[in-house]
Amino acid sequence: MPLHIPPAPAPALRSVLAALGSPTAVREARTPSLRAAQGPVTPELPLPVHVLDRISPQGLSATRLAGWRFLIRCGDRAVAAAETMLTPDGWAFSHFFEGPYVASTELALKQAESLQQPYQPRLLSVPGLYMLTLWLHGDTTADGTEGHPAATDLLVPLAPAPPGIAAHLPHPVADLLPVLTLRATRLPLLESPAA
């Protein structure tokens, strides 16, 4: 089924296009693939980036929108990504980057296209576990900038995933959340006996 990609805010897209059109921004970017790109580069597949700052022992806490990420395509593949952020003046370009999450995101999106149910793709970052997932939200008409993962949504860990969590394997939120909760919840330190 096709993915229903939520529209990015127009100012976010304009800021990425302006950065791509700026030789200074591209030259100073720490993305050799972007600097070496032969031919036109285009921002595609805008995905809202949500952050899960904290997982409590009771489960999922609310997520917050941190920005929009665009894959930067040159030819038949993504060579980098562009991140935007919300500032007091509105959406602004943040930075270009490359690395394993770019190719992993592209692969996960292709895999998601073959699923039977339509989804709205988003990214969910779990900083406490150094983890990024493709979040496949079941409500394709929802505002992509709000909400938190529903029990029936799918999370697809991107590579590199934390040890013991398989990358590119879709997990229902209800199945993966207990694993994330267990890993993110720290056990209290034992006090040493009094001398």
Side-chain angles (χ1 to χ4, degrees):
M1 295 295 273
L3 295 175
H4 296 267
I5 297 175
L13 176 58
R14 281 195 302 270
S15 72
V16 170
L17 290 170
L20 284 171
S22 165
T24 304
V26 172
R27 187 174 48 254
E28 292 178 2
R30 294 190 177 119
T31 55
S33 295
L34 184 59
R35 288 194 311 264
Q38 298 294 317
V41 291
T42 55
E44 296 181 355
L45 300 169
L47 297 173
V49 180
H50 294 262
V51 176
L52 180 60
D53 288 316
R54 190 173 53 85
I55 301 175
S56 70
Q58 294 75 33
L60 187 65
S61 63
T63 63
R64 65 178 168 83
L65 180 67
W68 284 82
R69 182 172 296 173
F70 297 77
L71 293 181
I72 306 299
R73 182 168 302 283
C74 180
D76 63 348
R77 68 181 186 94
V79 295
E83 192 94 12
T84 63
M85 63 182 181
L86 190 57
T87 69
D89 295 325
W91 289 101
F93 171 75
S94 175
H95 62 280
F96 292 117
F97 66 94
E98 63 181 68
Y101 286 136
V102 173
S104 188
T105 301
E106 190 172 39
L107 175 60
L109 286 166
K110 286 178 184 174
Q111 291 173 322
E113 285 281 346
S114 67
L115 297 174
Q116 296 301 313
Q117 180 179 337
Y119 288 101
Q120 182 188 83
R122 305 169 177 192
L123 292 172
L124 180 65
S125 173
V126 186
L129 298 176
Y130 300 100
M131 181 179 185
L132 184 64
T133 69
L134 178 64
W135 167 14
L136 299 173
H137 189 54
D139 182 358
T140 59
T141 62
D143 180 351
T145 64
E146 297 178 351
H148 61 276
T152 56
D153 288 353
L154 296 179
L155 295 178
V156 182
L158 301 179
I165 297 177
H168 296 285
L169 180 63
H171 300 273
V173 168
D175 293 346
L176 187 58
L177 185 59
V179 175
L180 300 182
T181 302
L182 182 62
R183 288 182 176 218
T185 306
R186 298 176 189 247
L187 296 174
L189 295 175
L190 296 176
E191 293 181 11
S192 53

